[in-house]
Amino acid sequence: MRYPWLLAAAWLSLILATLLQIAVPRLLGTAIDDVLARADTSRLWWLAGAIVLVTALRGVFSYGNQYLAEAVSQRVAYDIRNAFYDKLQRLSFAFHDREHTGNLMSKATVDVEQLRFFINMGMVRSGQMLLLVAGVSVVLLWLDWRLALAALAFVPLVAYRAIAVSRRLRGIWAAVQADTGRMTTVLQENLAGMRVVKAFGADDHEQAKFEAQAAKVMDSSYTAARTQAQNGALMQVFFWAATGLLLWLGGRAVVDGRITLGELAQFILYTSLLVQPIRMMGFLVNTFARAHAAGQRLFEVLDAESPVRDAPEAAPLSNVRGEVAFEQVSFAYRAPGAKASENAHGPSGDAANGAAIGAAGFRPALRDASLRVAPGQRVALLGAPGSGKTTMVNLLARFYDVTSGRVTIDGIDVRDATVASVRRSVGIVQQDVYLFSASVRENIAYGREDAALDDVIAAAKTAQLHDEIMALPQGYDTVVGERGMTLSGGQRQRLSIARTILLDPPILVLDDSTSSVDAATEARIRQAMENVMRGRTTFVIAHRLSSVQGADTVAVLERGRIAEVGAARDLLARGGIYKHIAELQGAPTAAPGPSRAGGAG
Amino acid sequence: MMHGMGGMGFGGMGGAWGRRDNVNIDDEQGKLFDCEVVWRLLGYMAPYRRQVALAVLGVLVYTATTVAVPLLVQRGIDGYIAQGDLEGLNLLALAFAVVLAAQYAVNYGHQAVLGRVTQSVLFDLRRDLFAHLQRLPMSFHNRHKVGSVMSRVQNDVSTLQEFLNIMVVSLGDLISLAGIIVAMIVLDLRMSTAVVALLPLLVLVIAVWQRFARKAFLNVRTAIARVNGSLQENIAGVRVVQSMNRQDANLSKFNELNSANLNANLRAMSLSAVLMPAVELFTAAALAGAVVIGGSLVFGGTIEAGVLVAFALYIQRFFDPIRNLTMQFTQLQRAMTSGARIFELLDVEPDLRDAPDAKPLPPIRGEVRFEHVSFGYTKDKPVLEDVNLTVHPGQTVALVGPTGAGKTTLVALLARFHDVTGGRILIDGHDLREVPRASLARQMGTVLQEPFLFTGTIRENIRYSRADATRGRIEEAARAVGVHDYIMSLPDGYDTVLEERGGNLSVGQRQLISFARALVADPRILVLDEATASVDTETEQTIQRALKTLLAGRTAVVIAHRLSTVQHADQIAVIEQGRVAEVGTHRELLERGGLYAKHHALSRGAATPEAAG
C-alpha cells in the first residue's frame, strides 16, 4: 500500500466511530430498563443527551473515516491513471497494433473507477462492517450467550453466500465487460469508417451488427442484475430471520424470567445495527467482483513489458553522423489473434528462423536483410506492399526490435542505445498522419515544444505549407481536429513533413510522403525535400520509380528479402527485378534521371 | 453509501450539435431535474409499462413487508411476551416467517423485472442512437470527433443506466418513507409528530449543503472529462508521440490534469462526507426524543414498551431514504446532463432526409449529369460554383486539378454525402434528392483513397454489406484484383481475422481488399478517389488491369492523380477553384494548350514515369 499513514488514520477513525455506534443501543436499552424494570424516569434526559452527544462525536470520526477513505482511493486512482498513461505511450507499436483505442479507453475510465470504488468501499468500509459485526457479537455474547448464538447464526451463512456469489459475479462481470468492449469496437469502427458505410449503403448491415452486440450486452447485464437482486434479497431475509428468531427465543427467555424485556429490546436493537453491514455486504460482493475483473484488465496493460526498452547499460547516441547498417536482420510481426500479452513475446525467442512464425501466423516481414548506408547517402527502398520496406524503418527507429541480426547507427547497435536517442536521430514522415487537437503551430512543434514561431514558420515554408496555413481562419493558431478533418490529406502530410523538419534529425525517413498530393504540389514538395535531405542520411520508402530518382542506392525488397541493391543505373543494367519494375512503369530504360553529384561520398 | 462521483465522460468534446450551440463539457449547468429529459425517458419505458406496473406493485408489497416487521416485533413484545402468551408467540413467529418468505420473493422478483426493463430501455436507446448516427449526413460526421460521439452512445447511456437504477431505488425509498410514517402514526401519534417534525429541518440542512456541493461536483466532472480527453488523444496518436519522443512532456501535462482531478475529488469529498454524520445526528436526536417522550409515556402507562422498541427500529430507517436521495443527487445531476446530451444527439435533424414522396431509384444505366451545381460547407465559402458536367453510361471521366480545387467534394455530392446548395445532380434523369439515399447507394460504389476495413474476417470485409454474396463471388472478386493468392497464403485464408482497421495488412493489401469489396457490390456507377499512389508498381499494374474489368460497362468518376489514368479516360474535367475549367479528351485538351497542357508539362518535368513513357 502506498499511503500507509492515510490508511492508518482512516482505520483509526473507523474504529472509534464504530465503538461509539455500538454504545447507542446500550443507552436505549438502559432507558427502557429504567422505565420498565426500575420505574425510574429521572435519567431519561441524561440518556437522551448522551445519545445525541455520542452520535455527534461519532460523526466527527465517521467524517474523518469517509474523507480519508476517499483520499486513499483517489490517490490510488491518480497513481494508476498516471501509470496507465505512461505505460501506454511507452509500449511498443506491437502492443498498439493489437489493442483497440476504445478498449483501452474503457480500461482507463470504467475499470479505474471500479478499482477506485473498491478501494474505498472494500479496503476501508469493509473494515467497518467486520468491526461492527465483531463489536455487536461481543456485546450480545456478554448480554446472553445463548440468545447471542441464535441472533448471530446467520453471520456465517451470509459470509458463505457472499463468497459464493462473489465468485459467480466475477465471471458475469467479466462477460459484461467483454461484451461491452465488442459493442464499443463496432461503434467506433462504424463512426470512423462512416464514409465506407455510407458509400455502400450498409446502414442495415451495420445496424444488425451493432444490435447483435448490444443484445449481448443487454443479456449479460441482466444476468448480473438478476444475480445481484437475488443475493441482496436473500441477505436481507437472513437478517430479518435473525430478528424473528430473537423475538421467538428471547420472548421465551423473558417469559421464563431469564432476561428482562429491556434486555430483549437491547438485543433487537443491537441486531438492527447489523442491517447496514449486511446490506453493504451484498453491495461489496458486487464491487469486489467488478473490481477483480477490472483489475485484471488494467494489470494486463500495466504489467505488459515493452520488448523495446533501454538496456541496463544503454548510452544515448550523440553526434550522429548517420551511418546506418542492417546486418542480417530478421523480423516477424506477431500473428493476429495471438495471445494479447506483450510479455508473452511474439517476434523473439523461437523466431530465429522466421519460418517458425510463418507457421503460426503471418509470414516473417523481414528475412536476413543486410544493407549498409554511408552518412548523407540517400537510399530508396522499393518493393511490393508487405515486402518489408516499412518494417525496415520501424526497426531502425526501434518501434520494434529485431528478431535476429542487428541494426546499427554509427556502428552502435540500436539496442545498446537509449530508445529516446535513437528516435531523436531518426525523423519519420509517417504514412498515417495523426494530428492532435491543438493549433497548427503546436502540431508542427509537437516534437519540440520550445520551438520559436519563426522556426515553425520556416519549417512550414520548407514543407510548402506556409501559404495554406496563412489562409486558415486563425493562421498558425487554427485548431485542427482529432483526425485532421479540417485539413486535406495533402496538407496533413506536409504538416507531418514540417514536424520532422523542425526536429532536424540526422537520419530521415520519408514513407510515401508524396502520395496524396497532385502533381503540381508534388513537384513543389519534391524541391523542398531536396533541400531538407541534403546532408542527412535518408530512406525513401518508394512506391514509384519517380521516388527513386536522386537516390544513391536502391534496395529492392521482395517478400521480406533484399533482392537487389545498387545504384539505379547498375540495377537497370543487371536486368533483374528493378529493370522489370522499371519496364512495367514504362520508365525510360536510359539513365533514371539526374543523380545527385557527389552524393555517394 | 454511494459515492461514485468520478465522471466517466471522454473529454474534449464540444461543438454544436444542431439546435443548441456550445454544448460543452466545461460548462454544464447541472440541472437537477430536467422535465423534458425525464419525460422522454419515460417514453422509452412506455413499451414496458406492464412490467413497470408489476414492479411498482412489487415495490409496494415489499415495502409493506419491511414496514410490517417492527410492527410484528411490537406485537410480539406487547401482545405476547409481556403477557406471557407463548402460544401466541409461536403463531407470531410463524407469521414472521411467512412475511419474510413473501419479502424474499417480492424483493427478488421486482428487482429482476426492473433489471430486465432497465436493460431493455438501454438497448432501445443504443439502437436508436446507432440508427440515428447512420442517418446523419457525412457533414455531421466530418464535424464531430469520433470520440465525442462515442462518448454519447457509451458513457451517457451508461450514466442513464445509473439513473434508472436510482429511480428504482429512490422510488422504493420514498414509498418506504411513506410506509414508515403511516406505521408510526398508527403506533402513536404524539411520538411520530415529534419525529416527523425533524424532517423539514433535515431538508433545510440538505438544501444549504447542496448549494456548496453542487459546484464541487460539477468541477469533479469537468476535471475527469479533461483527464479522459487527454488520455484518448494520446492513445490515438501514440505513433506520433513515440516517434517524436514526447512521452515526458505528455506525462507532465497529463499529470497536471490528473492532479486537478484528484484535488477536485478531494474537495467534493470534504463536502459530501459531512452529509452522513449530519443525517445520523438527526437520527440520534429523534431517538433521544423517543427516549424522553416515549419513556414518559411508557412510564405513565399510555403506551407499552414494544411501541418504544418499534419506534427505535423505525427511526433508524426513517432518515435513510432522505440521505440516499441526497447522495444520489450527483448521479441525478449527471444523468440529467447525459440524458440531455443523448436526446440532443437524437434531435439532430439529418439534413439529408429522403423526400416524403421519394421513389426508389430503378435499375439505372448510369448517366450522370451535374447541372449548375454549387456547394459550400459553410455559407460564406463556396467550394463548387456552377459546375456542369455530363457523363454518359459506361463512360469514364477523370477529374484533375490542384489540391483543394473541389474534386473530392464533387464526388461526395454524387454519392450524396451532402446535398447541393444550388443546381442539381441527375442520374438517368432522376434528381438525387428525389430518390431514397439507400437505393442510390446500392447502385453506386466508392473506393476511397485511404482504405478502411472493419474488424472481422477478410471474407466479411469483401462481402461487407452484400450478405448474400457467395464464396465463389467473393473469391472471384479477390482474383480479379489480384489479392486472392495473397489471402490464400495466410494461415486462415479468407477467414483470417483483421485487426483494428486491418492493421495487420499493409496499405496496399488493404487497398486491394477494398477494391474487391467494391467489385462484389457490383455498382452501376463507380466513384474512385485514385489511391494508386500507396500501391507499388507491380500491384498497381494488377489494379489497373482489374479496374479495366471493373470499369467495363460502368460509369466511372475518377479523381485522378496519375496521367496514365487520365489518358485512358473518355473525358477529362479540369477542376480549378470550384469550377470546371476545361473538359475534353486527353488529346483535345493537350491541343487546346490550356491548364491541362500546362499541368501535363509540369508532370513530365517531375518525371512521372507514365508521362515520360
Side-chain angles (χ1 to χ4, degrees):
Chain A
M1 204 68 237
R2 297 185 60 176
Y3 302 99
W5 290 111
L6 271 179
L7 208 60
W11 271 86
L12 185 66
S13 48
L14 177 81
I15 291 170
L16 292 172
T18 309
L19 288 179
L20 288 168
Q21 193 180 3
I22 293 174
V24 172
R26 180 96 193 117
L27 292 167
L28 270 174
T30 310
I32 292 174
D33 263 348
D34 266 13
V35 173
L36 284 184
R38 298 174 40 209
D40 174 11
T41 52
S42 61
R43 289 199 303 177
L44 281 187
W45 280 100
W46 288 107
L47 289 169
I51 289 176
V52 174
L53 197 72
V54 162
T55 309
L57 197 59
R58 180 179 157 238
V60 174
F61 291 117
S62 85
Y63 177 88
N65 171 40
Q66 273 191 64
Y67 179 78
L68 292 168
E70 178 78 5
V72 171
S73 76
Q74 286 290 353
R75 271 172 220 279
V76 171
Y78 163 85
D79 287 342
I80 292 180
R81 282 198 192 97
N82 265 359
F84 194 77
Y85 183 93
D86 203 37
K87 183 55 112 180
L88 283 185
Q89 62 175 359
R90 287 175 206 281
L91 281 171
S92 76
F93 280 16
F95 176 87
H96 291 281
D97 289 345
R98 283 193 312 271
E99 288 281 338
H100 289 248
T101 308
N103 218 346
L104 289 175
M105 273 316 285
S106 121
K107 286 183 187 186
T109 52
V110 183
D111 290 345
V112 169
E113 192 62 10
Q114 291 293 351
L115 212 58
R116 184 190 72 71
F117 203 59
F118 171 69
I119 288 166
N120 189 347
M121 299 306 290
M123 311 270 306
V124 184
R125 303 289 184 81
S126 67
Q128 185 193 12
M129 196 181 78
L130 289 175
L131 212 59
L132 202 58
V133 171
V136 168
S137 304
V138 168
V139 175
L140 289 185
L141 285 168
W142 178 60
L143 278 173
D144 185 292
W145 67 269
R146 273 173 294 185
L147 220 47
L149 288 182
L152 297 173
F154 73 98
V155 171
L157 267 176
V158 165
Y160 167 76
R161 273 291 298 176
I163 292 167
V165 171
S166 154
R167 202 165 288 156
R168 185 143 34 103
L169 271 174
R170 231 183 280 166
I172 295 173
W173 279 121
V176 170
Q177 274 159 346
D179 288 338
T180 310
R182 277 192 283 273
M183 180 180 76
T184 308
T185 301
V186 172
L187 173 66
Q188 196 192 0
E189 289 197 340
N190 173 269
L191 291 174
M194 188 55 83
R195 256 173 195 285
V196 177
V197 175
K198 289 216 179 270
F200 282 83
D203 313 21
D204 294 342
H205 171 75
E206 289 287 310
Q207 185 78 27
K209 210 159 75 176
F210 180 78
E211 278 183 28
Q213 289 303 333
K216 278 187 191 154
V217 171
M218 173 172 72
D219 289 338
S220 51
S221 302
Y222 171 63
T223 308
R226 209 192 47 210
T227 310
Q228 271 173 270
Q230 191 196 9
N231 188 44
L234 202 60
M235 295 270 182
Q236 203 163 344
V237 165
F238 276 152
F239 165 74
W240 285 117
T243 308
L245 201 62
L246 205 56
L247 191 67
W248 190 47
L249 295 175
R252 286 165 178 278
V254 172
V255 173
D256 290 349
R258 210 177 71 227
I259 58 168
T260 65
L261 200 54
E263 280 170 335
L264 177 61
Q266 269 190 54
F267 251 91
I268 292 175
L269 291 173
Y270 268 120
T271 317
S272 78
L273 278 189
L274 296 181
V275 72
Q276 199 200 344
I278 299 299
R279 224 195 270 167
M280 214 159 91
M281 178 78 109
F283 185 67
L284 209 63
V285 161
N286 184 43
T287 311
F288 175 71
R290 295 190 76 161
H292 189 270
Q296 266 180 347
R297 281 159 50 91
L298 271 176
F299 286 111
E300 225 172 65
V301 174
L302 289 175
D303 290 346
E305 284 287 344
S306 178
V308 178
R309 53 170 174 252
D310 288 343
E313 63 279 6
L317 289 175
S318 56
N319 299 323
V320 174
R321 289 176 298 120
E323 184 193 310
V324 173
F326 288 79
E327 297 175 5
Q328 288 166 328
V329 172
S330 295
F331 179 75
Y333 292 97
R334 181 194 316 280
K339 183 121 173 34
S341 158
E342 183 134 310
N343 33 11
H345 266 284
S348 65
D350 60 319
N353 175 6
I357 282 185
F362 281 8
R363 63 169 171 246
L366 211 55
R367 281 189 264 193
D368 205 22
S370 294
L371 183 66
R372 200 163 281 281
V373 186
Q377 260 199 342
R378 193 184 308 173
V379 182
L381 303 175
L382 194 70
S387 61
K389 306 181 297 284
T390 309
T391 303
M392 279 186 77
V393 299
N394 277 341
L395 292 175
L396 175 61
R398 280 198 81 188
F399 291 127
Y400 305 87
D401 271 342
V402 297
T403 306
S404 68
R406 60 181 208 145
V407 180
T408 64
I409 293 177
D410 287 1
I412 300 164
D413 189 327
V414 288
R415 284 171 301 175
D416 293 334
T418 58
V419 176
S421 69
V422 171
R423 295 197 184 143
R424 213 166 18 247
S425 311
V426 182
I428 300 188
V429 176
Q430 264 156 350
Q431 235 171 349
D432 269 327
V433 188
Y434 187 85
L435 297 184
F436 293 86
S437 308
S439 67
V440 171
R441 178 185 173 177
E442 286 167 299
N443 263 296
I444 293 178
Y446 195 72
R448 254 189 65 197
E449 264 189 297
D450 55 343
L453 182 58
D454 288 345
D455 295 338
V456 172
I457 292 175
K461 279 184 176 155
T462 314
Q464 304 282 312
L465 193 60
H466 176 72
D467 295 342
E468 279 160 77
I469 293 173
M470 292 313 286
L472 292 172
Q474 277 101 40
Y476 280 85
D477 294 323
T478 308
V479 174
V480 290
E482 184 190 45
R483 293 168 66 232
M485 279 299 191
T486 48
L487 295 187
S488 73
Q491 288 168 332
R492 274 188 291 159
Q493 209 151 25
R494 276 173 287 153
L495 192 144
S496 163
I497 292 171
R499 248 181 203 170
T500 310
I501 291 170
L502 201 58
L503 282 174
D504 191 24
I507 301 169
L508 193 67
V509 175
L510 302 178
D511 186 354
D512 206 20
S513 57
T514 53
S515 69
S516 53
V517 293
D518 59 302
T521 318
E522 183 176 332
R524 269 155 64 207
I525 293 181
R526 200 162 286 282
Q527 186 50 50
M529 291 318 292
E530 281 297 327
N531 301 336
V532 176
M533 287 190 282
R534 191 157 298 142
R536 296 179 217 272
T537 310
T538 304
F539 289 83
V540 180
I541 299 181
H543 299 285
R544 287 169 283 175
L545 270 191
S546 57
S547 312
V548 170
Q549 297 203 342
D552 302 300
T553 312
V554 178
V556 183
L557 281 104
E558 198 182 49
R559 294 199 185 85
R561 293 182 190 282
I562 296 182
E564 291 173 13
V565 190
R569 194 184 308 261
D570 301 339
L571 291 181
L572 266 186
R574 196 195 288 183
I577 303 173
Y578 180 81
K579 179 154 186 285
H580 179 63
I581 295 173
E583 280 166 356
L584 272 179
Q585 293 214 349
T589 31
S595 190
R596 282 181 315 134
Chain B
M1 205 148 71
M2 302 278 281
H3 301 271
M5 59 197 57
M8 291 175 189
F10 288 61
M13 51 207 66
W17 292 77
R19 289 182 306 137
R20 262 184 270 178
D21 268 20
N22 297 326
V23 175
N24 194 308
I25 194 96
D26 288 354
D27 54 44
E28 284 163 0
Q29 307 85 12
K31 253 194 213 171
L32 247 191
F33 204 80
D34 187 326
C35 287
E36 200 198 326
V37 169
V38 174
W39 185 243
R40 291 183 69 173
L41 256 183
L42 286 178
Y44 270 90
M45 297 186 82
Y48 309 101
R49 52 184 169 268
R50 272 208 212 128
Q51 286 97 314
V52 171
L54 194 69
V56 169
L57 190 69
V59 173
L60 284 172
V61 175
Y62 166 71
T63 307
T65 64
T66 59
V67 171
V69 168
L71 280 179
L72 284 174
V73 172
Q74 184 266 331
R75 271 290 345 114
I77 291 175
D78 296 340
Y80 306 113
I81 297 173
Q83 317 294 326
D85 180 357
L86 287 181
E87 293 259 317
L89 191 60
N90 286 343
L91 271 177
L92 185 92
L94 202 64
F96 212 101
V98 171
V99 167
L100 287 190
Q103 188 189 69
Y104 173 73
V106 176
N107 192 7
Y108 174 33
H110 93 264
Q111 285 196 59
V113 170
L114 281 178
R116 180 47 94 183
V117 171
T118 304
Q119 292 304 326
S120 304
V121 167
L122 292 177
F123 174 84
D124 294 347
L125 257 176
R126 288 194 180 109
R127 182 198 57 208
D128 288 359
L129 275 168
F130 193 85
H132 187 67
L133 286 171
Q134 309 305 302
R135 278 196 300 271
L136 287 175
M138 235 18 248
S139 55
F140 174 88
H141 292 288
N142 288 342
R143 250 195 339 268
H144 297 289
K145 292 183 190 173
V146 171
S148 110
V149 178
M150 293 261 304
S151 146
R152 295 203 182 203
V153 183
Q154 252 192 312
N155 303 331
D156 289 332
V157 172
S158 311
T159 310
L160 276 192
Q161 170 169 13
E162 281 173 41
F163 171 71
L164 291 173
N165 289 339
I166 290 168
M167 294 257 280
V168 171
V169 174
S170 305
L171 183 72
D173 278 345
L174 284 174
I175 291 176
S176 133
L177 186 67
I180 289 174
I181 291 177
V182 169
M184 287 200 303
I185 289 173
V186 166
L187 277 175
D188 186 82
L189 187 63
R190 281 152 300 184
M191 277 173 76
S192 42
T193 315
V195 174
V196 175
L198 285 169
L199 209 52
L201 208 61
L202 177 62
V203 171
L204 188 74
V205 167
I206 286 175
V208 172
W209 173 82
Q210 273 204 14
R211 294 180 73 102
F212 293 96
R214 185 179 299 194
K215 183 95 183 87
F217 286 125
L218 276 181
N219 288 343
V220 163
R221 295 178 47 204
T222 311
I224 191 71
R226 293 202 175 124
V227 166
N228 291 337
S230 159
L231 190 61
Q232 198 197 5
E233 198 169 64
N234 208 47
I235 297 174
V238 70
R239 285 167 169 76
V240 177
V241 171
Q242 290 199 0
S243 67
M244 303 253 158
N245 277 317
R246 270 282 291 222
Q247 289 95 332
D248 293 334
N250 282 1
L251 184 61
S252 82
K253 277 196 175 153
F254 180 75
N255 186 37
E256 266 170 44
L257 295 176
N258 201 6
S259 301
N261 176 52
L262 175 64
N263 291 330
N265 268 295
L266 291 182
R267 160 99 187 114
M269 195 57 199
S270 72
L271 284 169
S272 88
V274 170
L275 202 62
M276 181 98 125
V279 169
E280 265 159 13
L281 206 56
F282 270 88
T283 308
L287 275 177
V291 163
V292 171
I293 301 173
S296 312
L297 290 175
V298 170
F299 185 69
T302 322
I303 59 166
E304 288 170 284
V307 175
L308 191 54
V309 175
F311 253 88
L313 287 176
Y314 280 133
I315 286 169
Q316 290 191 353
R317 287 170 37 203
F318 185 64
F319 296 102
D320 273 2
I322 312 284
R323 193 198 56 199
N324 288 348
L325 287 174
T326 314
M327 293 316 263
Q328 271 143 10
F329 113 98
T330 335
Q331 259 103 342
L332 198 63
Q333 201 176 38
R334 225 165 83 181
M336 287 303 152
T337 320
S338 285
R341 284 152 49 95
I342 287 173
F343 290 124
E344 196 183 9
L345 175 54
L346 280 173
D347 287 344
V348 175
E349 288 282 327
D351 47 12
L352 283 181
R353 279 270 189 79
D354 286 337
D357 55 342
K359 283 188 205 74
L361 191 62
I364 51 171
R365 292 175 303 124
E367 187 204 56
V368 176
R369 195 190 290 272
F370 288 81
E371 287 183 356
H372 306 289
V373 168
S374 302
F375 178 76
Y377 292 97
T378 53
K379 282 194 185 89
D380 50 325
K381 243 179 102 179
V383 178
L384 291 176
E385 281 176 284
D386 197 31
V387 169
N388 290 293
L389 188 65
T390 304
V391 192
H392 298 295
Q395 268 199 344
T396 296
V397 63
L399 305 178
V400 297
T403 319
K407 304 185 297 276
T408 308
T409 306
L410 200 65
V411 299
L413 289 178
L414 179 58
R416 213 175 160 215
F417 287 156
H418 317 280
D419 266 342
V420 297
T421 45
R424 56 183 193 158
I425 302 173
L426 302 171
I427 289 185
D428 283 12
H430 300 275
D431 189 319
L432 282 191
R433 287 166 299 182
E434 283 160 15
V435 297
R437 220 199 142 258
S439 70
L440 171 69
R442 287 251 136 197
Q443 305 192 50
M444 187 174 309
T446 306
V447 174
L448 303 169
Q449 202 169 39
E450 287 174 47
F452 188 97
L453 301 180
F454 295 86
T455 303
T457 64
I458 290 180
R459 186 191 314 282
E460 283 163 357
N461 267 290
I462 296 180
R463 181 175 63 195
Y464 194 48
S465 62
R466 299 293 190 269
D468 53 348
T470 60
R471 272 164 179 265
R473 180 85 193 83
I474 290 166
E475 287 179 21
E476 189 190 322
R479 268 202 197 93
V481 300
V483 76
H484 174 77
D485 290 343
Y486 171 73
I487 295 171
M488 290 313 287
S489 78
L490 299 174
D492 295 324
Y494 282 87
D495 294 318
T496 304
V497 176
L498 299 183
E499 287 168 10
E500 186 169 15
R501 302 188 199 173
N504 44 356
L505 300 181
S506 76
V507 180
Q509 288 152 352
R510 282 193 300 237
Q511 191 65 260
L512 288 175
I513 288 176
S514 86
F515 280 13
R517 178 170 64 189
L519 250 180
V520 168
D522 191 24
R524 294 298 309 143
I525 301 175
L526 191 71
V527 171
L528 188 76
D529 192 347
E530 199 178 46
T532 46
S534 53
V535 176
D536 73 314
T537 328
E538 216 167 327
T539 319
E540 189 180 333
Q541 292 296 319
T542 322
I543 289 172
Q544 293 293 352
R545 272 197 302 276
L547 277 181
K548 222 167 262 173
T549 329
L550 179 58
L551 293 183
R554 292 182 222 278
T555 309
V557 180
V558 182
I559 297 181
H561 303 294
R562 306 305 194 68
L563 285 178
S564 63
T565 319
V566 176
Q567 284 168 0
H568 299 127
D570 300 303
Q571 255 191 108
I572 298 163
V574 182
I575 315 284
E576 206 189 42
Q577 293 183 347
R579 291 172 187 282
V580 177
E582 294 171 21
V583 188
T585 62
H586 177 64
R587 199 162 299 277
E588 286 166 7
L589 291 179
L590 275 188
E591 277 165 15
R592 192 194 289 192
L595 268 169
Y596 181 77
K598 227 170 76 189
H599 189 68
H600 184 70
L602 201 59
S603 295
R604 196 187 264 285
T608 304
E610 292 86 348

